[in-house]
Amino acid sequence: MTLSPPAARAANADPMASVDALIAGLAGVGYIASRRIATALYMAVHLQKPILVEGSAGVGKTELALSTAALLAQPLIRMQCYEGLDESKALYEWKYGKQLLYTQILKDRMGESLADAPTMDAAMDRLHGMGDLFFSEPFLEPRPLMQALRQDAGCVLLIDEIDKSDEAFEAFLLEVLSAYQVSVPELGVIKAKTPPLVFLTSNNVRDLGDALKRRCLHLHIPLPEPALEERIVATRVPGIEATLTHQLVAFVQGLRTLDLRKAPSISETVDWARALILLHADSLEPAMVRDTLNVILKFEQDIAAVEPQIVELLHRR
């Protein structure tokens, strides 16, 4: 993709200097952002607020976090949410195996150290003077949330599909998202030196709580307009002809007007474009569309419904 001179100058500047610079910067790492998306991200960075990104599957929610990490040259720490996810999987665990070995060593050495104690009280005094390492840093296994808080230079933290986690876990996140700190009973409060840039994504499997939403900037990514979708395909599929891009985007846009169980998203449009390039297609023909419908439609009933309408949909372009 060739940037216009003003856009090129913006891309070379600080990508967080303005919304325009951010749009250009994201384009430079392969993400075509609408002004609404860039504005939300710009505010999230400068206000140090988590950003809750909602939208149907495949519209680019996760890709936005990945591209932002690439743009900022920061590590991406990803936590995939699921039903049953708890604090130990998200924050930290103790290394129980090493703790057991430590206990065994301590037991062996304790006998030697206390053997010459004249009384029980003396033995107890000597015992209290020994360091207790059982719940200490060497036995701590950080999980994604703690890893993110411990990045001295900051990072991008992606909490993916938060709507798949339980409400209890959502409540647990509140301390992390509001103060960028967590409380570990054995160690105290751990606060981030540099707050991570946090993305939470949701496919709207369930409604999220008001408390979580209140702590986040909200961004909904809709399915794109044709012109934006053509730019996305041209960026993500280098070498594709403009005519083919226009035809396949028009066809996909037509599919989205039908009553389908699952309409194709941006990711499916990009996958279809790559498939057509692989098959050396330079234009959309009914036979080629029929043979590759399974790339953009994920249910057999949708394919069966669309097949009789292929010619009509192609004529809409």
Side-chain angles (χ1 to χ4, degrees), residues 1-29 71:
M1 177 181 172
T2 303
L3 298 176
S4 64
R9 284 195 297 273
N12 292 328
D14 176 5
M16 292 301 169
S18 67
V19 173
D20 289 329
L22 185 50
I23 292 173
L26 287 170
V29 295
L71 176 63

Side-chain angles (χ1 to χ4, degrees), residues 152-174:
D152 290 341
C155 70
V156 173
L157 172 62
L158 170 60
I159 303 176
D160 217 2
E161 299 184 321
I162 179 63
D163 51 325
K164 288 186 177 177
S165 67
D166 302 318
E167 292 182 7
F169 181 75
E170 185 183 315
F172 160 72
L173 279 179
L174 297 181

Side-chain angles (χ1 to χ4, degrees), residues 42 67 93-94 120 131 151 164 167 205 209 233:
Y42 179 82
S67 298
E93 283 185 295
W94 292 108
M120 186 63 182
Q151 299 292 317
K164 288 186 177 177
E167 292 182 7
V205 171
V233 172

Side-chain angles (χ1 to χ4, degrees), residues 76-80 82 85-97 137 139-151 155-159 169 172-173 176 182 184 187 190 196:
L76 177 94
I77 297 177
R78 180 174 183 169
M79 185 173 69
Q80 178 63 48
Y82 53 88
L85 176 64
D86 60 16
E87 188 175 328
S88 66
K89 297 292 189 300
L91 186 57
Y92 72 94
E93 283 185 295
W94 292 108
K95 299 175 181 175
Y96 297 117
E137 287 284 350
F139 296 112
L140 190 70
E141 182 69 53
R143 296 302 184 190
L145 291 180
M146 186 173 290
Q147 291 171 10
L149 295 178
R150 287 183 159 182
Q151 299 292 317
C155 70
V156 173
L157 172 62
L158 170 60
I159 303 176
F169 181 75
F172 160 72
L173 279 179
V176 178
V182 292
V184 179
L187 302 178
I190 296 176

Side-chain angles (χ1 to χ4, degrees), residues 53-260:
V53 190
E54 294 186 306
S56 56
V59 294
K61 302 185 297 295
T62 300
E63 193 63 32
L64 176 60
L66 298 175
S67 298
T68 302
L71 176 63
L72 300 178
Q74 288 190 333
L76 177 94
I77 297 177
R78 180 174 183 169
M79 185 173 69
Q80 178 63 48
C81 296
Y82 53 88
E83 188 176 352
L85 176 64
D86 60 16
E87 188 175 328
S88 66
K89 297 292 189 300
L91 186 57
Y92 72 94
E93 283 185 295
W94 292 108
K95 299 175 181 175
Y96 297 117
K98 286 190 175 181
Q99 285 178 319
L100 289 174
L101 287 173
Y102 167 74
T103 304
Q104 186 60 47
I105 294 172
L106 189 63
K107 180 181 176 183
D108 294 343
R109 293 296 182 87
M110 194 172 291
E112 300 172 8
S113 300
L114 302 181
D116 59 345
T119 63
M120 186 63 182
D121 289 341
M124 290 303 295
D125 289 342
R126 194 173 294 179
L127 180 62
H128 289 312
M130 295 179 178
D132 185 5
L133 299 176
F134 197 78
F135 291 111
S136 60
E137 287 284 350
F139 296 112
L140 190 70
E141 182 69 53
R143 296 302 184 190
L145 291 180
M146 186 173 290
Q147 291 171 10
L149 295 178
R150 287 183 159 182
Q151 299 292 317
D152 290 341
C155 70
V156 173
L157 172 62
L158 170 60
I159 303 176
D160 217 2
E161 299 184 321
I162 179 63
D163 51 325
K164 288 186 177 177
S165 67
D166 302 318
E167 292 182 7
F169 181 75
E170 185 183 315
F172 160 72
L173 279 179
L174 297 181
E175 182 185 11
V176 178
L177 299 181
S178 60
Y180 296 106
Q181 68 178 35
V182 292
S183 302
V184 179
E186 298 85 354
L187 302 178
V189 176
I190 296 176
K191 188 174 180 63
K193 290 182 180 177
T194 304
L197 175 58
V198 182
F199 289 83
L200 299 98
T201 72
S202 168
N203 294 329
N204 296 318
V205 171
R206 67 171 175 84
D207 290 334
L208 300 175
D210 291 344
L212 181 69
K213 287 188 172 183
R214 195 168 59 247
R215 284 164 173 78
C216 301
L217 294 176
H218 179 260
L219 170 65
H220 178 263
I221 300 181
L223 291 169
E225 296 295 321
L228 179 59
E229 189 160 22
E230 286 188 25
R231 290 182 61 203
I232 293 171
V233 172
T235 301
R236 302 296 300 277
V237 189
I240 188 170
E241 295 290 338
T243 303
L244 180 58
T245 302
H246 178 74
Q247 290 176 342
L248 71 89
V249 167
F251 188 88
V252 170
Q253 293 274 336
L255 288 179
R256 291 176 185 150
T257 65
L258 304 180
D259 183 19
L260 300 176

